[in-house]
Amino acid sequence: MDTIFRHRSIRKYRTTPVKVSIVEHLIRAGSRASTTGNMQVYSIIVTKDKTMKEKLWELHFKQDMVRQAPLVFTFCADFSRFSTWCNYRKANPGYDNYLSFFTGAIDALLASQNLALAAEENGLGICYLGTTTYNADKIIELLKLPKLVVPVATIVAGYPDEEPDLTDRLPLDAIVHKETYKEYTEADIYKIYHQREESDETKKLLEINNKETLAQIFTDNRYTKKDNILFSKKFLKVLKDQGFMENE
Amino acid sequence: MDTIFRHRSIRKYRTTPVKVSIVEHLIRAGSRASTTGNMQVYSIIVTKDKTMKEKLWELHFKQDMVRQAPLVFTFCADFSRFSTWCNYRKANPGYDNYLSFFTGAIDALLASQNLALAAEENGLGICYLGTTTYNADKIIELLKLPKLVVPVATIVAGYPDEEPDLTDRLPLDAIVHKETYKEYTEADIYKIYHQREESDETKKLLEINNKETLAQIFTDNRYTKKDNILFSKKFLKVLKDQGFMENE
């Protein structure tokens, strides 16, 4: 399980293709993750085709790795297959609601992490694309996802063409709470964040971006309120359009 | 990575406690999962206390394993810590929206799967509780989760007191789509589901539940439309109450 502790996101890939047998192994690994009531309400869309990757690259804000990496996996919450099964079996499916979407999203995300680890175990590099939910509407169009199918995460995979350092993480204390949630005092916040805030990397970032604090780089540049509101509205519309909000 | 392929959900546990150093190792494994922009917008609440477990057991529909297992991990989308940091650093956090909730949920779920695998690698058994979103409101109250923190998944863990068989899965073809989504014909559905539908286990289930098809057991008994609608409304209210729907 060293694989877990060696994980780093890879953003540069060699063009070496990945054997079909390995791809199948990765998907099988994904399929072994826990799934709600063994319903397996998720799907994985595999993109290898150059033209399709080019189009996905556009939708993922032109992050180069989408074009470079030989494999792109789009993980979807999927109650379409299950509902189709119900319809053919004299059963009346009731999965056109938010809870069902979220159940499918959990299934999809657990499978994605299994697949990611299996990829790394097999010498591949991976990177999650946080942009999946931003342009979900256009991804749905491109991948021809029917109602009750919504993309929630994307992983690119291939043989790495870089060896980045392990990413820093907050101290464990920061993310763990014993029995009940402990709110963070100003002193706690200092303790948790100061190492990152005082790093050379941060100092460089502050200078380039002309900001006073690292937090401002997140709120003003990387994850702004304006974008968050825009993409929230878009994603909630996607959930509605895909039929997951019938009872709201 | 055999661990991935050996996974089965464990529902009976020995009372043997789990060493603190192992618990810490598991959480560290969780923390190595990919996280959006390295924001780490999730928290893990660890429950060991007998009284707290008793209360969680009630909220998880009295599934015995919640009382039995020495460890209960509740994974939460958490933009509270990050926003607190912003507030102390002259930055204006804009994370009171649905996208931010979903981003936190992804972080939490990827971490949970890492933790689950690390637990299994260390000889522990685990089981995901699908009931976390159903009673999220009461879990929030019990674990004293502040605004911008929402539980999305729970794992119980401990030394197994049973050795269940590997759970069946649909054929890989069922969950994979090449380039674009292929809708399922009646013949596809038969191919995908018939093995499960014709198993001895299913035959027994149909008899006990007096149903004609396996799908009906899901729609009429296990995951009914009525429950789904009820829990959808409850969970969406939780998102609102926890401050993740300020712009809807």
Side-chain angles (χ1 to χ4, degrees):
Chain A
M1 196 52 57
D2 275 357
T3 309
I4 283 179
F5 291 95
R6 281 196 311 256
H7 162 72
R8 47 265 280 165
S9 295
I10 298 298
R11 293 184 173 82
K12 287 187 181 170
Y13 292 90
R14 284 150 55 190
T15 51
T16 325
V18 180
K19 279 189 194 161
V20 173
S21 60
I22 291 183
V23 178
E24 200 185 295
H25 175 78
L26 305 188
I27 293 167
R28 194 175 300 278
S31 79
R32 296 311 315 172
S34 293
T35 143
T36 312
N38 201 12
M39 287 189 287
Q40 302 164 67
V41 282
Y42 70 100
S43 274
I44 306 174
I45 322 292
V46 184
T47 307
K48 291 182 181 182
D49 180 77
K50 209 169 167 269
T51 317
M52 288 296 280
K53 279 204 296 168
E54 202 75 20
K55 287 179 184 165
L56 275 179
W57 168 77
E58 291 262 4
L59 301 184
H60 287 292
F61 298 92
K62 305 192 176 177
Q63 296 176 81
D64 266 345
M65 52 188 166
V66 183
R67 283 206 288 202
Q68 270 179 19
L71 293 167
V72 183
F73 298 99
T74 306
F75 295 85
C76 307
D78 181 354
F79 252 109
S80 172
R81 176 178 59 241
F82 196 85
S83 299
T84 304
W85 175 54
C86 293
N87 286 327
Y88 280 124
R89 295 295 182 266
K90 304 182 191 168
N92 188 23
Y95 306 110
D96 52 358
N97 43 62
Y98 182 73
L99 186 86
S100 300
F101 160 69
F102 201 75
T103 299
I106 293 176
D107 275 16
L109 290 160
L110 300 189
S112 78
Q113 183 60 8
N114 260 17
L115 185 145
L117 289 169
E120 293 178 325
E121 182 77 4
N122 280 273
L124 299 168
I126 66 107
C127 191
Y128 271 91
L129 304 180
T131 41
T132 311
T133 48
Y134 297 6
N135 275 328
D137 53 347
K138 298 202 180 81
I139 293 172
I140 285 167
E141 209 184 312
L142 178 65
L143 304 181
K144 301 195 196 308
L145 308 182
K147 293 241 172 177
L148 300 185
V149 182
V150 169
V152 294
T154 303
I155 292 176
V156 297
Y159 294 98
D161 198 22
E162 62 169 357
E163 280 188 66
D165 291 334
L166 212 57
T167 309
D168 67 297
R169 288 285 188 262
L170 299 175
L172 283 199
D173 274 4
I175 55 163
V176 175
H177 304 259
K178 290 174 185 165
E179 304 301 339
T180 53
Y181 195 97
K182 53 160 200 323
E183 305 246 17
Y184 300 86
T185 63
E186 188 166 0
D188 293 332
I189 291 292
Y190 174 78
K191 214 172 117 191
I192 293 172
Y193 286 99
H194 81 101
Q195 206 163 2
R196 174 179 290 188
E197 291 179 306
E198 289 156 20
S199 74
D200 289 342
E201 203 191 325
T202 296
K203 281 176 190 153
K204 220 160 58 185
L205 273 173
L206 295 182
E207 210 180 294
I208 296 172
N209 291 286
N210 195 24
K211 292 286 173 198
E212 197 181 341
T213 70
L214 178 60
Q216 290 172 348
I217 293 181
F218 282 93
T219 56
D220 302 355
N221 300 13
R222 293 188 184 164
Y223 299 92
T224 67
K225 181 161 188 145
K226 195 179 150 217
D227 282 353
N228 286 335
I229 290 174
L230 172 71
F231 294 127
S232 290
K233 283 189 196 302
K234 276 184 67 179
F235 195 51
L236 284 166
K237 183 171 183 303
V238 163
L239 297 186
K240 205 174 151 92
D241 291 347
Q242 291 304 92
F244 276 123
M245 295 294 233
E246 289 306 311
N247 303 99
E248 304 321 317
Chain B
M1 197 55 53
D2 276 357
T3 309
I4 283 179
F5 292 94
R6 280 197 311 257
H7 163 71
R8 47 268 281 165
S9 294
I10 298 298
R11 293 185 173 80
K12 285 187 182 170
Y13 291 90
R14 283 151 54 192
T15 49
T16 326
V18 180
K19 278 188 196 162
V20 172
S21 60
I22 293 183
V23 177
E24 199 185 296
H25 176 79
L26 305 187
I27 293 166
R28 194 174 300 277
S31 79
R32 295 313 314 173
S34 292
T35 142
T36 311
N38 202 12
M39 287 189 288
Q40 304 165 65
V41 280
Y42 70 99
S43 273
I44 307 173
I45 321 294
V46 184
T47 308
K48 291 182 180 183
D49 179 76
K50 211 170 166 266
T51 316
M52 288 296 280
K53 281 206 295 169
E54 201 76 18
K55 288 178 183 166
L56 275 179
W57 167 77
E58 291 262 3
L59 301 184
H60 287 292
F61 297 93
K62 304 191 178 179
Q63 297 175 81
D64 266 345
M65 50 189 168
V66 182
R67 284 205 287 200
Q68 270 178 21
L71 291 167
V72 183
F73 297 99
T74 305
F75 295 85
C76 307
D78 181 354
F79 253 109
S80 172
R81 176 178 58 241
F82 196 85
S83 300
T84 304
W85 176 53
C86 293
N87 286 327
Y88 281 122
R89 293 295 180 266
K90 304 180 191 169
N92 188 21
Y95 307 110
D96 51 358
N97 43 62
Y98 183 73
L99 187 86
S100 300
F101 160 69
F102 201 75
T103 299
I106 293 176
D107 276 15
L109 290 160
L110 301 189
S112 79
Q113 183 61 7
N114 260 18
L115 185 146
L117 289 169
E120 293 178 326
E121 182 77 3
N122 280 274
L124 298 169
I126 67 105
C127 192
Y128 271 91
L129 305 179
T131 39
T132 310
T133 48
Y134 297 6
N135 275 328
D137 52 348
K138 298 204 182 80
I139 293 172
I140 286 166
E141 209 184 311
L142 179 64
L143 304 181
K144 301 195 198 305
L145 307 181
K147 293 243 173 177
L148 299 185
V149 182
V150 169
V152 293
T154 303
I155 292 176
V156 296
Y159 293 99
D161 198 23
E162 63 169 356
E163 281 188 67
D165 291 335
L166 212 57
T167 308
D168 66 298
R169 287 287 187 260
L170 299 175
L172 283 199
D173 275 3
I175 54 164
V176 176
H177 304 259
K178 290 174 185 166
E179 306 299 340
T180 53
Y181 196 98
K182 52 157 205 322
E183 303 246 19
Y184 300 86
T185 64
E186 188 166 0
D188 293 333
I189 291 292
Y190 174 78
K191 215 172 115 191
I192 293 171
Y193 285 99
H194 81 102
Q195 206 164 0
R196 175 180 288 189
E197 290 179 306
E198 289 157 18
S199 73
D200 289 342
E201 201 190 326
T202 296
K203 282 176 189 154
K204 220 161 56 184
L205 272 174
L206 295 181
E207 211 180 292
I208 296 171
N209 291 286
N210 195 26
K211 293 285 173 199
E212 198 181 341
T213 69
L214 179 60
Q216 289 172 349
I217 292 180
F218 282 93
T219 57
D220 302 354
N221 300 13
R222 292 188 186 165
Y223 298 93
T224 67
K225 182 163 187 142
K226 196 179 148 219
D227 281 352
N228 287 334
I229 292 174
L230 172 71
F231 294 126
S232 290
K233 283 189 198 300
K234 275 184 67 178
F235 195 51
L236 284 167
K237 182 170 184 302
V238 163
L239 297 185
K240 204 174 152 85
D241 291 347
Q242 291 303 91
F244 276 123
M245 297 294 233
E246 288 306 311
N247 303 97
E248 305 319 318

